[in-house]
Amino acid sequence: MQYEDGAKLDPSQVGGGGGGGRRGGGIAIGGGGAIIVIILALVFGFDPSVILGGGTTDQPVQPGESQTTLQNCQNVKDIETDRNCRYVAYTNSIQAYWETKLEGYQVTKINPFTSQVSTGCGQASAESGPFYCPQDQQVYLDIEFLDQLLSQLGAQGGDAAEAYVVAHEFGHHVQNLTGVMAEAQQDRSTGPKSAGVRLELQADCLAGTWFANEQNVAGSPVGDFTEQDLNAAVDAARAVGDDRIQQQSGGGVNPDGWTHGSSEQRRKWLQVGYSTGDPGKCDTFNTDNLG
């Protein structure tokens, strides 16, 4: 994936790594074996307290919490000296896109961290995977763990795959702003046609619309996507399918337990977004043809 030479980066869209751990149900994810960590991390969650459970916590941030500052990322050239600046580029481009597509879009922040972090949804560790917290409306991810995660899954990885992950989480931000998330969260059922799966597939589709329109975003620090970039994003979408996760765990495939959609479903809706470039085509709630 290429970046636009001379383009400016806006590090103000990067948070300090925490939204406060006293505003709602918290999560505490421990070890328990590498395969369990992988399964938990593969879940791209919109609210970790909903997906992973865990008790309420009023505990302060624990020692060892580390935040990754990206305030030095001022322009694309900085990616050459600090590769983590690419996350600022993804975030800037994605939010600039949604500002043109969604009236009243509220620019938010991405919070990179290592080890653990205090959020509006409670305490989270790296093993919770990338997630969006609706209580503070911010995106959280351990960028070092994300790289490890994609490689463990057998995905191609690379910048385009990472950009897909970030775009998916901002898809959840859009769903939160429009009220779709709150409505879907009222249904806690699981399965290939559950509200939770439909929410995730819609976020995949919304991510795909950014891929399709990115080249039209004025001042975007991200260059045009190639077919190879799209293939890497699609490969990442397949890798985080519920059926793939269940297979990774060594068990059989059980569609009744799906919360995020199968590999084929996730591939399909990412490509629907990309092929149409239209968020209006991402209505996964009013179709039985989810893939």
Side-chain angles (χ1 to χ4, degrees):
M1 196 173 81
Q2 301 297 313
Y3 299 94
E4 293 289 350
D5 290 339
K8 299 292 185 180
L9 297 180
D10 180 7
S12 71
Q13 294 181 11
V14 179
R22 302 173 182 265
R23 294 182 53 193
I27 61 173
I29 308 167
I35 196 65
I36 299 300
V37 171
I38 294 172
I39 293 171
L40 293 176
L42 294 179
V43 179
F44 287 173
F46 49 85
D47 181 342
S49 64
V50 170
I51 296 172
L52 301 174
T56 301
T57 179
D58 284 328
Q59 298 300 314
V61 175
Q62 297 298 314
E65 177 173 316
S66 176
Q67 301 167 5
T68 302
T69 178
L70 299 179
Q71 298 307 309
N72 62 311
C73 303
Q74 299 291 327
N75 55 65
V76 162
K77 190 173 179 59
D78 291 328
I79 298 175
E80 297 177 6
T81 54
D82 184 353
R83 281 282 291 152
N84 287 337
C85 289
R86 67 193 187 276
Y87 285 93
V88 183
Y90 306 154
T91 299
N92 291 170
S93 180
I94 293 165
Q95 297 213 88
Y97 165 67
W98 282 114
E99 284 187 288
T100 68
K101 286 294 184 180
L102 180 64
E103 185 176 356
Y105 177 80
Q106 298 173 21
V107 173
T108 187
K109 297 179 184 291
I110 187 170
N111 290 274
F113 69 95
T114 58
S115 183
Q116 58 184 353
V117 67
S118 182
T119 81
C121 296
Q123 196 84 356
S125 66
E127 288 84 358
S128 59
F131 65 89
Y132 172 73
C133 173
Q135 277 79 2
D136 60 27
Q137 299 188 352
Q138 296 185 25
V139 173
Y140 295 86
L141 75 161
D142 184 318
I143 52 185
E144 294 179 4
F145 189 79
L146 176 59
D147 182 63
Q148 177 187 358
L149 167 63
L150 291 171
S151 64
Q152 284 179 318
L153 277 173
Q156 295 178 34
D159 291 15
E162 295 168 350
Y164 153 68
V165 173
V166 177
H168 173 98
E169 298 307 332
F170 276 102
H172 285 316
H173 182 50
V174 170
Q175 292 169 322
N176 191 33
L177 293 177
T178 57
V180 172
M181 176 176 288
E183 184 174 353
Q185 282 186 299
Q186 295 177 16
D187 183 350
R188 299 298 181 87
S189 63
T190 60
K193 293 187 178 181
S194 64
V197 165
R198 292 176 187 273
L199 194 73
E200 297 300 325
L201 297 181
Q202 186 180 70
D204 282 336
C205 185
L206 295 176
T209 68
W210 169 68
F211 274 91
N213 291 285
E214 185 281 328
Q215 69 273 14
N216 299 319
V217 177
S220 172
V222 178
D224 293 349
F225 289 105
T226 66
E227 183 176 353
Q228 183 179 358
D229 293 329
L230 179 62
N231 288 340
V234 169
D235 182 61
R238 286 197 188 104
V240 293
D242 282 320
D243 52 343
R244 180 80 169 268
I245 294 171
Q246 289 173 339
Q247 290 169 345
Q248 287 273 347
S249 71
V253 175
N254 175 24
D256 290 339
W258 291 357
T259 59
H260 288 67
S262 68
S263 295
E264 174 57 24
Q265 286 177 316
R266 302 201 72 166
R267 178 208 63 79
K268 172 185 175 176
W269 285 98
L270 176 62
Q271 290 196 315
V272 167
Y274 180 78
S275 62
T276 66
D278 181 2
K281 302 297 183 182
C282 296
D283 186 1
T284 56
F285 290 90
N286 291 301
T287 180
D288 286 329
N289 185 22
L290 291 176

